[in-house]
Amino acid sequence: MKFSFSKKVKRYSVFVFFLINIFNTTQAQLVPLPTVWKFKLGDNMKWASPLFSDAGWSFKPIGSSWAATGMKDNFYAWYRVKIIIPSSMKSAESGKGIKLNLGKINEVDQTFFNGKLIGHTGALPPAYETKWNAERVYTIPENDIQWDKENLIAVRVFSSDAGGIGMYQGPYNYGPIQWSDFISVQNSITETDHNGFITKIKFTNSGNYAFSGAVKYWIKDKYNKEVFTETKQVRVLPGKGYETGVTFSDYQPVNEDIFKVDYEVTENNTSATVKYEQVYLANRQVDIKVAGEPKAIIPYMVKAAFTPVSLQDQILKGYVGKRFMQNLEERLLNIDENGIMSGYLQRPGIHPWIGEHVGKYLESACNVWKVTHNPKLKAQMDRMMYELINSQLDDGYLGTYTPDNYWTSWDVWSHVYNLYGLLAYYTTTGYQPSLEACKRMGDLLCKTFGNKPGQRDIILAGEHVGMAATSVLDPMVELYRYTGEKKYLNFCYYILDSWKQKDGPKIISTLLATGKVNKVADGKAYEMLANLLGLLKLYRVTGDTRFLNPVLIAWNDIVKNRLYITGTTSSFEHFKGDGILPASDKDDVGEGCVTVTWIQVNQNLLDITGELKYVGQIEKSIYNQLFGAENPESGCVSYFTPLMGVKPFSCSITCCTSSVPRGIALIPYFTFGNVKNVPTLMLYGPASYKENITTADKKNINLSLQIESNFPESGNSIITVNTSQTALFPLALRIPSWSRSFIAEVDGKEYKGTANQYLVIKRIWEPGQKIKVSFEIPVQIVTDSINYPGQIAFQRGPQVLAFDNSLNVELLKKYQFGSNQKLLVEKPGSKSDANVLPGQWIGRQAYTVPVIDRKKKEANPQFVLVPFADASQTGGDIKVWMPLDVTNQLIKNNQ
């Protein structure tokens, strides 16, 4: 989401005001509900009755969803709990009842109190309507309450999807209906001269309630020292729509730059209160000086087979370079700072996982800044990092929840990504407070979770059989590396132990036993891959192969059974059965977060082994699913990126609009580097690289490569090798598995390469020598006999090609493309014809496919294919799988 702001009003929008209305009221006498309820799958209306005995039911914590593993979709479950409501609550607003807050429920609920229906949200079949993201706030009539005795709350839940259901996020409490249920409170902060600011508070009556009370206002600096306070009276007259407000004095900071702005509204007659706190950055010109990139205290025990050249020593050009810069200019620099920071500046956040976005942004921004040194990006990431660490609580908590909901739902998950983001900032700039914030988070996690008395179970603190919470394994390994504090490593071992427990995901044991990722826990792809990534990091730190082998098993299973030709996996966010790869826009294909984490898994396997098969998977993902998920014109992102249909690009805040830019920012980590100390070119796009190398005869020389190329349009390139002095050393070129007739020529000598191998050229290199590289980029025909029998797809080198309706209007006038009638076509050529593309099209690759008249046996019209990554950028309906017959061609089966 993008919002416009006036020049004088800072960090506020309708979005933020809405948060205040809904979430920042704190009532007197609010009583938390029990955190563990009775639970049963199935459906029986007798279960709503207080007379029914649930003695045989199981127990289930509220505050996290769960998966009905092995069950079909469209099912019911019931929650029941008994509470005692004290008669003292009668006194407040007598006759209006008691408000019951049940948070969010996936997907539809009916809620009963002592057997009577008091509310429902969503609609049950046959008129099914999901309301998974709606707050459940119901009123319990006073006449139905048994005061000072047991009362039964029963919640009937319906879900259309077995993947994640239940009472997944609070708040869970009850209390008397009071003034704040009728009068909304909003605030705005306006900048004044010299970084000063004025706070205004507006009251709006939504009913006929008369209110009089006091507003206490105070400001604290970042050390929690009160620096200003003021109290004003307020009176709200009855009448719907009546508005009034109070304005507090202009506060002029002396040396401070960031504050906590608090106010408390108290009704005179009842003492019922609304409390509010916000972090406010008065001086937005934050400038963090770069101290340098710190080295890890704990080196990897497993020596890296591949190490990328420093990101600062890369300049990416051509197709990849343009996409990299579009990611910066259209996405990162246009990020909705207010939206992704709101949950930290004003707790709680608007939805359970709002907290993940700033960490993802910071990691992306750090990697992009290392390459570009863009000053606007640096200022932005400095500002957001500074706000984030100053929103951390004294005990180390850095989530977006309120205390009654700590460590439920996606709370640990937010800490995962804050660790990622702040560690990335620290390793980029050397800014010590960023690392200290990570240590405070790590200490709090170590204190909160474990097997000792009084500690929580981390499996119960996250979604998807606990995998969302245990994905903290990866950043905790990195925290151990950069601090050297063994308690963080010990916490990683605790996570592995938690996997084994009865209600744990059993990641390692299931992979060893079955060899299939879809059998692990609930099969949730993103969270599982994130845990596997942590296992790889733990292997690299410890050298224990027990952590590597399960990941290799998972990798082989995904590549063999669950990988789309575009380099992604998952449908409806889960791993499906063997070979089940539905690809339409109704199949929720290739969640962007899954694509990025799959790339990260391959990146680490490449670093560990140096094996080319991992580069091949990375290249496939980059040139297809990753680039295809971000619109090159708008920077908007497709949460799911189908192979068939329209890509649903959106600029709203989702996990994937944060993840996909993060994936694009990773590209410099696998372009050029050293494979077992041999400088090696991995990707063939135009670029400049430089590094210092030591030759076999101990010479230290400066090496730079200039790659002139228009890859992926063609396989011809010239690599200029510049050295600070003449020297003997090897230089390696990756030979892609899809390439044909690979030849490298230096000073008239030819070196022939074999597909899927390294070509090592060892010679005396003189400054300015050139390598002329040429290879064919063949077009392959691919089939899928399981999901799209009788249809084919075209793959040109690493790129999958797609039919875009918006580029083939004339053909569609003549043919019912996509019907049961197959067109007879010639195989598309490997040479691009950009002239067939409209002027506004971003990307210059297009391949024409002649259509053959079956009767006349001659070419008729032709249609246009473009790279899948470019397709649907103007909203066109696309097809990767097409009902075509191709004249005299060999076909490769994808299954």
Side-chain angles (χ1 to χ4, degrees), residues 144-426:
D144 294 337
I145 298 172
Q146 299 186 65
W147 299 102
D148 301 317
K149 297 179 181 179
E150 280 192 342
N151 296 269
L152 174 73
I153 301 171
V155 183
R156 182 192 189 201
V157 178
F158 171 81
S159 177
S160 64
D161 177 9
I165 62 172
M167 300 174 66
Y168 70 90
Q169 184 194 10
Y172 303 111
N173 52 50
Y174 63 93
I177 292 175
Q178 62 175 38
W179 68 267
S180 58
D181 295 308
F182 306 96
I183 297 172
S184 65
V185 183
Q186 301 176 344
N187 83 294
S188 63
I189 300 178
T190 304
E191 177 185 359
T192 62
D193 294 335
H194 310 296
N195 296 324
F197 57 92
I198 293 173
T199 300
K200 298 180 180 180
I201 301 175
K202 184 175 75 171
F203 299 80
T204 304
N205 203 332
S206 61
N208 200 36
Y209 193 95
F211 171 84
S212 62
V215 185
K216 180 183 177 182
Y217 171 77
W218 67 100
I219 301 170
K220 296 180 291 186
D221 65 15
K222 64 181 179 182
Y223 304 108
N224 281 326
K225 178 184 177 182
E226 188 175 291
V227 294
F228 179 83
T229 185
E230 192 173 9
T231 300
K232 294 197 172 187
Q233 297 295 314
V234 63
R235 184 183 180 196
V236 181
L237 298 179
K240 187 174 183 179
Y242 178 84
E243 292 184 354
T244 190
V246 293
T247 300
F248 293 96
S249 301
D250 184 356
Y251 176 71
Q252 290 290 316
V254 180
N255 296 314
E256 311 95 334
D257 55 12
I258 194 164
F259 303 91
K260 290 179 181 176
V261 178
D262 297 73
Y263 66 80
E264 182 177 274
V265 184
T266 304
E267 188 175 32
N268 290 336
N269 296 330
T270 66
S271 74
T273 301
V274 166
K275 294 181 180 180
Y276 167 86
E277 181 175 87
Q278 177 187 342
V279 175
Y280 176 75
L281 183 61
N283 180 9
R284 296 181 62 76
Q285 305 306 313
V286 179
D287 183 15
I288 306 297
K289 303 302 179 186
V290 177
E293 294 188 20
K295 292 184 178 180
I297 295 173
I298 305 295
Y300 284 133
M301 185 174 289
V302 178
K303 186 177 180 180
F306 172 74
T307 53
V309 69
S310 172
L311 272 64
Q312 288 89 336
D313 294 327
Q314 302 189 40
I315 301 174
L316 303 178
K317 305 174 184 176
Y319 183 75
V320 170
K322 287 180 182 178
R323 283 300 191 117
F324 193 82
M325 291 305 295
Q326 286 163 347
N327 187 45
L328 165 65
E329 294 164 358
E330 302 299 335
R331 187 73 215 148
L332 294 178
L333 290 178
N334 286 323
I335 201 77
D336 176 11
E337 287 187 49
N338 302 298
I340 68 175
M341 287 301 304
S342 62
Y344 294 100
L345 303 182
Q346 304 166 326
R347 292 183 174 95
I350 193 171
H351 63 68
W353 51 90
I354 192 70
E356 74 184 75
H357 302 294
V358 64
K360 289 182 176 181
Y361 160 81
L362 283 173
E363 188 179 22
S364 306
C366 287
N367 286 329
V368 172
W369 182 80
K370 287 178 183 179
V371 177
T372 65
H373 283 269
N374 183 281
K376 289 183 179 179
L377 182 64
K378 177 63 164 55
Q380 185 185 61
M381 66 193 228
D382 287 353
R383 183 167 59 245
M384 294 175 70
M385 177 282 305
Y386 194 65
E387 287 180 314
L388 181 63
I389 65 173
N390 279 284
S391 70
Q392 188 172 34
L393 302 185
D394 291 340
D395 64 357
Y397 180 80
L398 195 50
T400 62
Y401 288 39
T402 50
D404 55 326
N405 284 305
Y406 282 176
W407 313 123
T408 63
S409 192
W410 297 92
D411 201 12
V412 176
W413 181 260
S414 295
H415 288 78
V416 170
Y417 285 95
N418 284 333
L419 284 168
Y420 275 132
L422 292 174
L423 281 171
Y425 191 89
Y426 169 69

Side-chain angles (χ1 to χ4, degrees), residues 495-601:
I495 289 175
L496 300 192
D497 287 340
S498 75
W499 288 354
K500 302 174 187 176
Q501 63 193 46
K502 184 178 179 181
D503 57 353
K506 301 176 178 61
I507 296 174
I508 293 176
S509 59
T510 304
L511 285 170
L512 294 176
T514 68
K516 296 188 179 297
V517 292
N518 63 316
K519 300 297 183 182
V520 176
D522 64 350
K524 186 66 163 58
Y526 180 17
E527 287 75 5
M528 193 187 309
L529 286 171
N531 279 270
L532 296 179
L533 185 60
L535 266 185
L536 285 174
K537 293 287 185 64
L538 194 57
Y539 164 69
R540 298 182 73 177
V541 164
T542 65
D544 192 333
T545 57
R546 292 178 302 168
F547 307 145
L548 174 63
N549 292 334
V551 184
L552 296 177
I553 290 170
W555 188 91
N556 286 319
D557 177 53
I558 292 169
V559 171
K560 180 181 178 181
N561 298 310
R562 283 162 250 288
L563 195 68
Y564 288 85
I565 61 172
T566 52
T568 191
T569 184
S570 82
S571 172
F572 295 101
E573 303 188 2
H574 288 70
F575 291 118
K576 299 301 181 182
D578 290 4
I580 305 302
L581 299 167
S584 81
D585 51 9
K586 294 181 174 59
D587 296 312
D588 289 358
V589 177
E591 181 188 2
C593 302
V594 173
T595 303
V596 173
T597 316
W598 172 243
I599 289 172
Q600 290 179 295
V601 168

Side-chain angles (χ1 to χ4, degrees), residues 619-740:
E619 182 182 58
K620 180 193 296 184
S621 298
I622 289 172
Y623 275 102
N624 295 291
Q625 200 72 23
L626 185 64
F627 284 158
E630 186 171 283
N631 191 304
E633 179 183 15
S634 65
C636 294
V637 170
S638 179
Y639 189 115
F640 301 109
T641 308
L643 284 66
M644 313 286 283
V646 178
K647 294 178 184 177
F649 293 117
S650 171
C651 283
S652 61
I653 300 173
T654 69
C655 57
C656 295
T657 45
S658 297
S659 283
V660 170
R662 183 170 169 242
I664 294 174
L666 289 173
I667 291 174
Y669 284 99
F670 20 80
T671 52
F672 173 71
N674 290 276
V675 177
K676 299 178 180 177
N677 298 318
V678 176
T680 304
L681 183 64
M682 293 293 192
L683 300 181
Y684 283 93
S688 298
Y689 307 107
K690 61 182 180 180
E691 68 164 333
N692 298 318
I693 65 171
T694 301
T695 64
D697 55 356
K698 307 302 180 183
K699 288 183 180 179
N700 293 316
I701 66 171
N702 298 324
L703 169 67
S704 68
L705 300 184
Q706 302 289 330
I707 295 95
E708 300 173 63
S709 162
N710 66 344
F711 185 84
E713 287 188 49
S714 80
N716 299 321
S717 59
I718 296 176
I719 304 171
T720 302
V721 182
N722 285 306
T723 59
S724 56
Q725 57 181 296
T726 300
L728 171 67
F729 63 89
L731 186 64
L733 305 174
R734 165 186 166 248
I735 317 300
S737 60
W738 43 260
S739 67
R740 301 289 183 270

